[in-house]
Amino acid sequence: LYKGFDDPKFSEDLTSFEKKAKELDELSKTLSHENEKKDLLQIVKVLEEFELLEKHLSCFGSLSQSTNTANAKAAAAIDKVATIASTASKAMAVFSRYIADMKDLNSYLDCPELCEYKYFLNDIHESGKYLLSEDVEEALAKMNISAGSAWEKQQSLLTSSLEVEYDGKKLPLASVRNLAYDADKEVRKAAYEAELKSYAPIADAVSFSLNNIKLQVITEAKMRGYTSPMDMTLHQSHVSQKTLDALLSAMQKYLPVFHKYLKRKAEMLGYENGLPWYELFAPIGKSATTSFTPETTKEYLVDDLADMMEEAFDNNWIDFYPHKGKVGGAFCCNMPFVKQSRVLTNFDGGLGDVVTLAHELGHAYHGLNIESHRPLNWEYSMPVAETASTFNENIIMNAVIDETEDKEVKLGLIENQLQDLCQIICDIYSRYLFEKAVFDRRSDEFLFTDQLNEIMLDAQKQAYGDGLDPNCLHPYMWVCKSHYYSSDLSYYNWPYAFGGLFARGLVVKYQEMGKEKFVPKYKEMLHTTTVASVEDTAKVLGVDLTDEAFWISALETAKSRIEEFIELSK
């Protein structure tokens, strides 16, 4: 992207970005409804140029910071780009209002310059009823930097810098939470107890972050005319309430199936009252002993996605190894503006890391299938964001499990898959219940730490049922999960269940249709994710997301794995 923050091209693009923001502002003052088509063409042209510059600059800043969180130049660049972007918010609101007020928008959309933006422009037109005045839109965008965004940063800072007293040492919170996977039960239990104890000094401060972000969202949703924060989330996600209801209904019906798995795991580990929280990730069976390098990982993964995988490995799209200052976890950043992606992972050679890489390269494959779109058609909505990645993950894990002959190793592999499935069903459902309860109560009361802990425990009891020991849950799970702390993205929980089950349902379709028929339709579906509603996207593969039967077909595959696990564990 750039050779560094001192690269003259970076400074040049930053200056151009600032000029383009001013150009947007100037254009917004010249609009009239006398020549709508001409105005619309100019709006699209300038917005595309603005989007390209913003993507280059913001990706470079955030990717640089992800490999070195202490990079002061990256932090300064991120703030600078965000500040410039916020100055364009008033113009964006003017454009949206102008498009929303057009009486004959569709009559302009047959021309080559605009026909590809039919969904994008119609969505703006239909969303006009939720727009506020240009001045208020500008004020909201600017104030958010020191409001919702600032509260989000507070939670991130407090949890990322938290040191936990464990075994006579001070360890980062992430390191102690990772001990939940340790082979030693005493280590898992001690780490859990140390983790819970460590939250007390920061919980009150984090509760202020949560309360103020949620109140800001409630206020904005009301101002815009949404019936609730969920109504706003569904609209922004291009999903209908009917689809969400079908998903949640299917999940609720299959919760007892997952409770059965948890109770069996508890029995195997010697517990009679359900599984203690600290045993959720306790290893079962024998670990696959194969150790992978980036080179052998490449050989293992390169198959259907051969060309893209080759390019990712050979052209250094992947930052593999952990080091000081690098963020934890893994992610993929699509960059369709240069027809590439970037993947960050903390690779240590285990099979889990190969599966993680397959997941992230699934995101890259999604990026490959949207890069032919024009710049304003590059964003896919939250629910379909995990589709290609989780599909990849399922294909890889199913192949590994089915090919394994050693029963103890197979048991361990199935257990790993069920841990993940239990997270996207039981844990995600508990997070959904928690956030819904917080939104329902926040309008009328401030929720202090003790109340938030009670809400979380109640949500976990509803979601995990008798699968977990009710006396050993995790009341502070709201403190450490960043997903609750965004003023722009509420209910960032059910989309994980959506993505996980949508992908599993697509694996069922893959098996029914066969590779030759499925793959072209799958590519077409991924291509459609940025230019259609989630429901219309799924229709490309003949899937009706409002029909509970589709979600049940996905959950049936999970049920089969649970039954296989119970049988093998005997």
Side-chain angles (χ1 to χ4, degrees):
L1 295 174
Y2 303 99
K3 293 176 182 176
F5 292 102
D6 299 326
D7 185 344
K9 184 72 172 77
F10 181 82
S11 301
E12 184 185 314
D13 280 358
L14 199 57
T15 302
S16 297
F17 185 50
E18 207 157 7
K19 286 179 181 173
K20 198 57 63 179
K22 288 175 183 171
E23 191 179 332
L24 284 170
D25 186 53
E26 288 161 10
L27 176 60
S28 72
K29 294 169 183 172
T30 66
L31 301 176
S32 73
H33 286 280
E34 291 174 12
N35 193 338
E36 290 182 336
K37 184 176 179 181
K38 180 187 172 189
D39 286 343
L40 197 54
L41 287 166
Q42 188 61 20
I43 289 169
V44 165
K45 177 179 176 291
V46 181
L47 281 178
E48 285 187 333
E49 292 165 353
F50 183 81
E51 177 80 1
L52 283 166
L53 285 164
E54 182 177 22
K55 287 276 190 258
H56 271 88
L57 293 162
S58 61
C59 281
F60 186 66
S62 62
L63 288 169
S64 298
Q65 190 178 56
S66 72
T67 60
N68 180 9
T69 54
N71 188 331
K73 288 183 178 179
I78 290 167
D79 281 350
K80 178 74 173 170
V81 173
T83 301
I84 295 171
S86 74
T87 65
S89 56
K90 185 175 182 179
M92 298 292 193
V94 172
F95 297 151
S96 294
R97 173 69 64 196
Y98 181 77
I99 293 166
D101 289 343
M102 286 182 173
K103 299 288 189 289
D104 300 306
L105 173 63
N106 281 312
S107 66
Y108 309 132
L109 302 183
D110 291 334
C111 71
E113 299 91 341
L114 296 174
C115 63
E116 290 179 57
Y117 284 131
K118 190 168 186 176
Y119 183 78
F120 173 76
L121 293 168
N122 270 307
D123 183 54
I124 294 173
H125 188 264
E126 290 163 18
S127 300
K129 59 186 175 183
Y130 300 118
L131 282 173
L132 302 169
S133 72
E134 290 83 1
D135 287 339
V136 174
E137 290 288 355
E138 181 184 33
L140 281 175
K142 287 185 174 179
M143 291 297 289
N144 189 57
I145 295 171
S146 56
S149 181
W151 288 115
E152 180 180 1
K153 286 176 182 172
Q154 172 173 285
Q155 184 271 344
S156 178
L157 175 69
L158 288 170
T159 52
S160 65
S161 59
L162 182 64
E163 290 188 314
V164 181
E165 292 274 358
Y166 173 77
D167 196 25
K169 300 185 287 287
K170 285 189 175 181
L171 297 176
L173 176 62
S175 298
V176 173
R177 282 178 57 77
N178 281 341
L179 293 174
Y181 298 89
D182 197 272
D184 186 335
K185 171 188 164 181
E186 294 307 316
V187 169
R188 297 192 297 268
K189 185 179 181 184
Y192 160 80
E193 290 170 349
E195 180 197 349
L196 290 192
K197 191 177 177 184
S198 74
Y199 289 125
I202 67 166
D204 287 343
V206 176
S207 77
F208 272 73
S209 287
L210 186 64
N211 275 273
N212 288 306
I213 286 170
K214 295 313 181 195
L215 187 58
Q216 179 176 323
V217 172
I218 290 167
T219 304
E220 185 180 338
K222 280 182 183 173
M223 287 170 67
R224 293 189 181 282
Y226 291 102
T227 57
S228 65
M230 176 57 86
D231 184 32
M232 184 161 71
T233 296
L234 290 171
H235 180 81
Q236 292 167 346
S237 303
H238 307 278
V239 176
S240 70
Q241 182 69 51
K242 205 172 173 185
T243 292
L244 180 61
D245 290 345
L247 168 69
L248 292 173
S249 174
M251 286 170 64
Q252 287 161 357
K253 285 176 181 173
Y254 277 73
L255 285 174
V257 175
F258 287 88
H259 301 164
K260 191 176 175 184
Y261 150 68
L262 291 167
K263 285 190 284 187
R264 177 61 187 143
K265 184 170 179 177
E267 286 173 16
M268 293 170 72
L269 294 171
Y271 300 100
E272 295 178 359
N273 197 32
L275 198 66
W277 185 275
Y278 57 83
E279 298 289 45
L280 269 170
F281 304 110
I284 295 282
K286 209 159 64 176
S287 299
T289 53
T290 310
S291 183
F292 293 86
T293 65
E295 291 71 30
T296 57
T297 300
K298 176 182 170 184
E299 290 169 18
Y300 192 77
L301 292 180
V302 171
D303 182 19
D304 290 339
L305 317 182
D307 292 344
M308 188 215 72
M309 292 271 196
E310 292 268 9
E311 191 174 3
F313 279 90
D314 296 347
N315 293 341
N316 298 316
W317 292 7
I318 306 165
D319 186 311
F320 277 97
Y321 296 109
H323 58 76
K324 186 179 179 183
K326 180 177 173 178
V327 296
F331 68 78
C332 173
C333 174
N334 290 146
M335 301 192 300
F337 47 91
V338 289
K339 298 193 182 330
Q340 296 180 19
S341 289
R342 291 289 182 273
V343 171
L344 177 143
T345 183
N346 284 275
F347 190 86
D348 70 5
L351 177 63
D353 293 306
V354 176
V355 175
T356 296
L357 196 54
H359 180 101
E360 300 308 334
L361 288 170
H363 285 301
Y365 187 65
H366 198 160
L368 175 72
N369 282 283
I370 61 167
E371 65 186 25
S372 60
H373 283 305
R374 286 172 62 185
L376 305 180
N377 282 341
W378 283 335
E379 297 295 326
Y380 39 76
S381 66
M382 186 169 59
V384 292
E386 297 297 323
T387 303
S389 54
T390 313
F391 181 82
N392 256 25
E393 196 177 317
N394 275 299
I395 292 290
I396 290 288
M397 276 306 291
N398 288 343
V400 173
I401 290 168
D402 294 341
E403 290 166 11
T404 300
E405 294 181 2
D406 185 315
K407 285 188 178 180
E408 282 289 314
V409 173
K410 189 186 278 274
L411 186 68
L413 291 169
I414 294 174
E415 159 63 9
N416 283 338
Q417 194 177 48
L418 292 180
Q419 280 180 18
D420 292 341
L421 277 167
C422 199
Q423 286 294 292
I424 68 164
I425 303 300
C426 297
D427 201 60
I428 287 300
Y429 188 57
S430 75
R431 294 192 219 175
Y432 164 78
L433 292 173
F434 171 81
E435 189 160 2
K436 186 176 184 304
V438 170
F439 270 126
D440 288 346
R441 292 174 59 176
R442 182 60 190 99
S443 294
D444 302 318
E445 58 181 314
F446 188 96
L447 299 165
F448 289 96
T449 296
D450 287 348
Q451 292 163 292
L452 291 169
N453 285 352
E454 285 172 18
I455 295 170
M456 180 55 79
L457 289 173
D458 183 57
Q460 288 171 356
K461 286 171 185 174
Q462 288 185 62
Y464 285 99
D466 59 358
L468 290 189
D469 182 345
N471 300 311
C472 189
L473 299 173
H474 196 311
Y476 287 105
M477 190 53 77
W478 58 272
V479 176
C480 61
K481 289 294 176 187
S482 61
H483 304 73
Y484 301 118
Y485 298 88
S486 170
S487 54
D488 299 321
L489 196 62
S490 301
Y491 287 106
Y492 193 14
N493 35 61
W494 62 262
Y496 281 94
F498 181 105
L501 292 179
F502 186 38
R504 289 189 81 82
L506 292 183
V507 172
V508 174
K509 294 289 288 184
Y510 174 59
Q511 291 161 346
E512 289 172 356
M513 293 170 66
K515 184 175 171 180
E516 295 303 315
K517 288 183 181 175
F518 178 84
V519 172
K521 282 288 182 187
Y522 178 59
K523 289 180 178 179
E524 184 188 343
M525 188 207 74
L526 292 177
H527 182 74
T528 306
T529 52
T530 62
V531 291
S533 70
V534 171
E535 287 81 10
D536 286 343
T537 296
K539 283 176 186 172
V540 173
L541 269 164
V543 170
D544 180 2
L545 294 177
T546 65
D547 185 353
E548 194 180 300
F550 170 75
W551 303 108
I552 285 175
S553 75
L555 284 157
E556 274 295 308
T557 68
K559 182 181 177 182
S560 296
R561 278 291 187 224
I562 288 170
E563 289 170 351
E564 187 179 2
F565 172 81
I566 290 170
E567 192 58 37
L568 268 175
S569 71
K570 292 176 183 176

